[in-house]
Amino acid sequence: MSTAEETAGGEAQPWGEVTPDAARRLLLAAVEAFAERGYHATTTRDIAGRAGMSPAALYIHYKTKEELLHRISRIGHEKAVEILRTAARAEGGPAERLADAVSSFVRWHAGGRTTARVVQYELDSLGPEARAEIVGLRRQVDAEVRGIIEEGVRSGEFDVDDVPGTTLAVLSLCIDVARWFNVHGPRTPEQVGALYADLVLRMVGAREAAPAQR
């Protein structure tokens, strides 16, 4: 399994929606190259070589290097929205759902750290149109977490004066895991997820800590 096919919280990230197989191989190669060298330092020849293909073969499936980054970013952000939306709409009170959202989001960033680094930190490499689409998905990510926090404030479970600022802090905490997490380190993605869920509940002043169940 390549680093771009890592698992997050036991869930495989096979990029199965990318077809045919050659297009998927190129995308996996691009993820690894972008994570290792950065978008601007990576050439189409680098990507094709990692996929065991010729540079000419790449253009059959992707017109430009930016198209590859755009597809990686879109799929990754759609997954992020799905993770947080599932937690936000689950049963349970705000504290339980916020803990679940944070734990799941952290596990995704830790277990799929190579992909997550590209998804989260290469936004400015996209052109205006592609960037606007990804920014829209990021707003959905923000809205899911903000909605849970707002509900907790309304119900009296959370003590938060600045909901937008706190939402940004929570998301930044989760996303940064992709930057530092080491698969050979002392903690598993699940352990980091549980730790961060507890930290976030303390951040919002939750009356009762509700450990994530997923």
Side-chain angles (χ1 to χ4, degrees):
M1 178 178 290
S2 70
T3 54
E5 293 179 294
E6 296 156 334
T7 60
E11 180 182 7
Q13 302 290 318
W15 301 91
E17 61 268 74
V18 180
T19 57
D21 180 67
R24 178 176 176 274
R25 283 164 51 203
L26 286 163
L27 184 141
L28 289 167
V31 168
E32 294 180 351
F34 294 156
E36 181 182 317
R37 306 188 60 182
Y39 174 79
H40 292 294
T42 298
T43 66
T44 54
R45 184 174 295 275
D46 293 332
I47 296 168
R50 287 172 184 258
M53 301 166 68
S54 70
L58 185 148
Y59 295 110
I60 295 174
H61 302 284
Y62 302 98
K63 295 178 181 178
T64 63
K65 183 175 70 168
E66 184 191 347
E67 184 179 337
L68 264 167
L69 178 61
H70 182 203
R71 191 164 193 192
I72 293 164
S73 297
R74 185 177 65 246
I75 292 172
H77 279 87
E78 287 172 347
K79 181 62 179 178
V81 172
E82 178 188 345
I83 289 169
L84 294 173
R85 185 166 290 162
T86 297
R89 298 182 180 181
E91 296 181 358
E96 183 179 358
R97 286 185 284 119
L98 182 60
D100 188 16
V102 169
S103 177
S104 300
F105 206 38
V106 166
R107 292 199 310 270
W108 184 72
H109 282 85
R113 62 204 173 282
T114 303
T115 298
R117 283 200 300 272
V118 177
V119 168
Q120 299 293 3
Y121 295 117
E122 289 287 0
L123 176 64
D124 290 339
S125 299
L126 293 170
E129 186 176 344
R131 189 179 189 280
E133 180 185 3
I134 301 306
V135 168
L137 289 169
R138 288 195 174 206
R139 290 190 180 122
Q140 293 180 46
V141 166
D142 181 276
E144 295 299 338
V145 175
R146 187 174 67 249
I148 302 173
I149 295 175
E150 287 174 340
E151 184 179 341
V153 171
R154 287 195 301 269
S155 67
E157 293 182 51
F158 297 164
D159 181 12
V160 175
D161 293 326
D162 183 348
V163 172
T166 301
T167 300
L168 177 61
V170 170
L171 289 172
S172 298
L173 193 68
C174 296
I175 289 168
D176 194 56
V177 170
R179 183 185 58 79
W180 63 259
F181 185 81
N182 185 344
V183 68
H184 301 298
R187 298 178 190 270
T188 66
E190 291 75 18
Q191 289 171 329
V192 178
L195 171 63
Y196 274 43
D198 181 67
L199 291 173
V200 166
L201 289 180
R202 294 173 189 273
M203 183 189 299
V204 299
R207 291 183 176 179
E208 294 184 6
Q213 297 299 314
R214 280 188 251 172

